Amino acid sequence: MKPLYACLLLASLAGCASAPHSINNACAIFNQRDGLFNDWHAAAKRAERAHGIPVPILMATLRRESGFQSDARPPRTKLLGFIPWSRQSSAYGYSQALDGTWRQYRQETGRSLARRNNFADAVDFVGWYHSRTVANKGVAPNDAYNLYLAYYLGWSGFDNRGSRSNKAVLRYARDMATTAKRYQAQLASCSRL
């Protein structure tokens, strides 16, 4: 009987390390990650209930930040143009949370064991961050564009109007908002959710 349990455990965890195949379709993402120990839809709904941020916005943020790669990191800089050197920031995991912001999240939420490469923890982090933006910056909880600007720029960068003139950052926010709308429409028609 023990080998059966071991096989079931391995099968349920098999999809944990790699990104879902169809990251542009919210229904497909949740259908691919609906395991007993790794149920992304349930985790996203918990984050939505806890923080008041809609699931499509949570998922679109993670899509934009990491493409749902659990071990995503910024690229390394190059020394002398070809020697891999330090990374541009400490961003890591699904949410690309920086070390300091992740520490703040763990302290404020009491989730001391939360890990950035765990989907449930990462989606909760995104909900927490966006809810702080809603509370402290006056952004509506369904305003994907401005929530993402604050997420990408950080709260002080969001306050600095000059930071918002970067065309690439504005394009990222538009793309994320478009993805959130697409995910919302897809989730409204999911048969299994």
Side-chain angles (χ1 to χ4, degrees):
M1 202 63 156
K2 287 183 182 179
L4 175 62
Y5 289 124
C7 289
L8 288 173
L9 179 62
L10 286 175
S12 68
L13 296 175
C16 295
S18 62
H21 301 295
S22 300
I23 63 174
N24 293 320
N25 184 304
C27 298
I29 292 167
F30 288 142
N31 286 333
Q32 291 171 67
R33 294 294 184 268
D34 67 349
L36 180 62
F37 299 104
N38 196 29
D39 187 338
W40 284 18
H41 184 253
K45 289 300 283 182
R46 276 193 306 274
E48 179 183 63
R49 284 190 302 272
H51 304 291
I53 305 299
V55 166
I57 292 175
L58 298 173
M59 295 299 287
T61 302
L62 294 172
R63 164 71 173 90
R64 176 72 224 162
E65 286 297 293
S66 67
F68 300 109
Q69 293 286 335
S70 64
D71 59 352
R73 292 181 186 270
R76 291 187 178 275
T77 57
K78 303 285 185 188
L79 180 66
L80 302 175
F82 66 94
I83 301 170
W85 203 244
S86 62
R87 296 194 187 274
Q88 298 166 350
S89 76
S90 63
Y92 175 70
Y94 290 109
S95 63
Q96 289 295 281
L98 299 173
D99 290 350
T101 314
W102 189 258
R103 273 192 303 275
Q104 180 183 355
Y105 161 73
R106 291 185 349 174
Q107 281 181 320
E108 289 186 11
T109 61
R111 296 172 58 105
S112 60
L113 299 178
R115 298 181 337 267
R116 289 179 278 184
N117 63 350
N118 176 285
F119 178 82
D121 295 336
V123 75
D124 190 74
F125 169 84
V126 171
W128 168 83
Y129 196 97
H130 285 335
S131 71
R132 300 261 332 251
T133 300
V134 169
N136 298 323
K137 305 299 176 191
V139 176
N142 61 352
D143 182 351
Y145 179 84
N146 280 301
L147 286 173
Y148 188 75
L149 279 181
Y151 192 88
Y152 187 90
L153 297 170
W155 292 309
S156 59
F158 184 74
D159 288 340
N160 177 359
R161 297 285 178 193
S163 297
R164 296 197 217 179
S165 62
N166 183 318
K167 289 183 181 182
V169 174
L170 299 179
R171 186 177 68 249
Y172 299 157
R174 280 193 307 274
D175 291 349
M176 180 276 193
T178 299
T179 300
K181 284 181 186 173
R182 184 172 63 245
Y183 281 176
Q184 181 177 12
Q186 291 164 347
L187 289 171
S189 65
C190 287
S191 59
R192 291 186 55 208
L193 302 178

